[in-house]
Amino acid sequence: MFFSIIIPLYNRPQEIDELLETLTHQTYPQFEVLVIEDGSKYPAKEIVEGYKDRLDVSYYFKQNEGQGFTRNYAFARAKGDYFIVFDSDCLIPSNYLETVRDFLLKHQLDAYGGPDAAHSSFTPVQKAISYSMTSPFTTGGIRGNKKNLGGQFHPRSFNMGISRKVWEATGGFILTRLGEDIEFSIRIHSMGFKIGLIPGAIVYHKRRTNFKQFYKQLHFFGRARINIYKFFPSQLKLVHFFPSLFTLFLLFTLIVNIFRLPLAILCNFFLAVYILLLFFHSWSQNKSAKVAFLSIIAAFVQLTAYGLGFMQDFAKRIILKEK
């Protein structure tokens, strides 16, 4: 089985250097790497070409179109039996391809997704963000499970694989931003292909390096969920409203405390229980009180950013019927 690893890149030369370095240590050698520079102002051509003596790597530069269409550009040029998509801010364990190959040979999946985790080299903030995106006590918990409150499993593009057959049948991504990977996954499902989670296909996803960047990313994700709804209304589940409800609860708690209403005690109690739950669960996972404290901040940033983005586009595109 020959793999084509596809990495869209936009103004992140340092990230691609770290990712490619991890790929040089793969225990399974049958793969190529396609790095597609999506109109970057800070191209990474020299960095990528510096790996040609250790990897079968190709570098392409194209005008900016967004990550979805950039992946399509790579699909059309890939040689593999199976295409694997990574985000540029991922680090790949050395046994990743071997794990995927063994699982695919046994289970014959047409497409797959894998979970993400925090690497030991991550900063405390990155570990906290990783916790918030993978914890069962935030919406991140639905991203790496076969069955969850969000419905059927949808591979995400930070760690996603499709067979050549899927690419030829679907034509790839029809959206380039705002939930393009979820739309693609739903469409693959609808065409009868077999999709599954490979639990051992873990990547270390660095995500954003500070809470401001994380907020912007999650606000975008909230808006993306409404974009998916416009294509597939049945895919809007109750769980997707949770961040908005949580955001409204925080606002309500603030108001009742300002006006010293009796409900303030009850609201403060529930909020305190949730905060303690996050803290001690993160502490047990990360073995660090500092990361546990930062995980509380990350969870609140995640939920409020997603919730506000969701409410913004819900009002605009569903209630007001704007395009």
Side-chain angles (χ1 to χ4, degrees):
M1 184 178 294
F2 189 75
F3 294 106
S4 292
I5 295 176
I6 291 163
I7 309 165
L9 186 62
Y10 183 71
N11 289 334
R12 295 185 179 183
Q14 179 58 36
E15 287 183 354
I16 195 63
D17 191 15
E18 294 173 338
L19 194 163
L20 292 177
E21 175 61 34
T22 64
L23 292 178
T24 66
H25 302 291
Q26 288 299 303
T27 56
Y28 183 77
Q30 301 299 314
F31 69 96
E32 64 171 348
V33 182
L34 292 84
V35 177
I36 316 298
E37 194 95 63
D38 188 30
S40 299
K41 294 180 180 179
Y42 309 104
K45 183 177 182 179
E46 289 186 8
I47 292 173
V48 174
E49 291 187 343
Y51 282 89
K52 285 197 170 182
D53 60 337
R54 290 182 285 167
L55 292 171
D56 178 5
V57 59
S58 300
Y59 174 87
Y60 300 90
F61 189 97
K62 55 178 282 297
Q63 71 178 43
N64 181 263
E65 295 181 291
Q67 58 267 31
F69 295 162
T70 299
R71 297 180 192 118
N72 288 346
Y73 183 96
F75 292 158
R77 291 159 177 77
K79 303 172 185 175
D81 308 301
Y82 224 94
F83 306 155
I84 298 175
V85 176
F86 293 135
D87 280 354
S88 63
D89 58 352
C90 289
L91 304 177
I92 315 303
S94 60
N95 65 340
Y96 179 93
L97 290 179
E98 187 173 0
T99 298
V100 170
R101 188 277 310 267
D102 292 346
F103 195 96
L104 292 177
L105 289 176
K106 183 177 180 180
H107 297 279
Q108 301 295 313
L109 296 179
D110 298 304
Y112 78 88
D116 62 329
H119 192 266
S120 59
S121 66
F122 286 8
T123 67
V125 170
Q126 287 174 322
K127 289 178 180 178
I129 289 174
S130 179
Y131 170 81
S132 74
M133 291 297 288
T134 57
S135 169
F137 302 115
T138 66
T139 55
I142 72 172
R143 293 166 63 92
N145 297 306
K146 294 179 182 179
K147 295 181 180 179
N148 54 70
L149 295 175
Q152 60 188 195
F153 172 67
H154 297 144
R156 307 299 175 100
S157 56
F158 66 84
N159 183 8
M160 178 187 210
I162 66 167
S163 66
R164 176 173 290 276
K165 181 171 61 175
V166 168
W167 151 244
E168 292 172 348
T170 62
F173 293 87
I174 63 171
L175 299 176
T176 196
R177 297 181 180 90
L178 276 177
E180 79 288 343
D181 51 353
I182 303 176
E183 187 284 327
F184 189 31
S185 295
I186 295 171
R187 192 154 36 91
I188 294 171
H189 269 292
S190 69
M191 296 178 71
F193 288 109
K194 185 179 180 182
I195 300 181
L197 172 73
I198 302 182
I202 296 170
V203 301
Y204 301 115
H205 197 182
K206 296 181 79 171
R207 304 188 187 278
R208 297 299 178 257
T209 57
N210 60 58
F211 290 130
K212 182 178 179 181
Q213 293 175 334
F214 185 49
Y215 178 91
K216 290 180 179 179
Q217 183 185 45
L218 268 294
H219 188 272
F220 191 82
F221 286 176
R223 295 179 57 214
R225 177 51 61 179
I226 300 302
N227 203 37
I228 296 303
Y229 165 81
K230 300 298 286 187
F231 285 88
F232 303 101
S234 65
Q235 293 298 322
L236 189 61
K237 308 294 185 180
L238 182 61
V239 68
H240 300 132
F241 288 86
F242 173 71
S244 297
L245 295 175
F246 179 80
T247 303
L248 293 173
F249 169 74
L250 285 181
L251 179 60
F252 180 77
T253 300
L254 178 62
I255 292 171
V256 295
N257 274 280
I258 290 174
F259 291 99
R260 299 182 180 182
L261 300 177
L263 275 175
I265 296 175
L266 185 61
C267 291
N268 292 340
F269 171 78
F270 284 122
L271 195 58
V273 169
Y274 184 62
I275 288 172
L276 290 173
L277 188 64
L278 290 171
F279 180 84
F280 285 109
H281 185 256
S282 178
W283 196 355
S284 70
Q285 295 291 307
N286 293 287
K287 313 303 180 187
S288 167
K290 181 177 181 179
V291 173
F293 173 74
L294 291 171
S295 294
I296 298 169
I297 300 174
F300 275 61
V301 170
Q302 175 193 349
L303 293 171
T304 55
Y306 188 105
L308 290 171
F310 183 94
M311 287 189 287
Q312 171 190 307
D313 276 31
F314 187 91
K316 286 183 177 180
R317 305 187 64 187
I318 297 179
I319 298 176
L320 299 178
K321 308 294 184 181
E322 293 182 10
K323 293 184 178 181

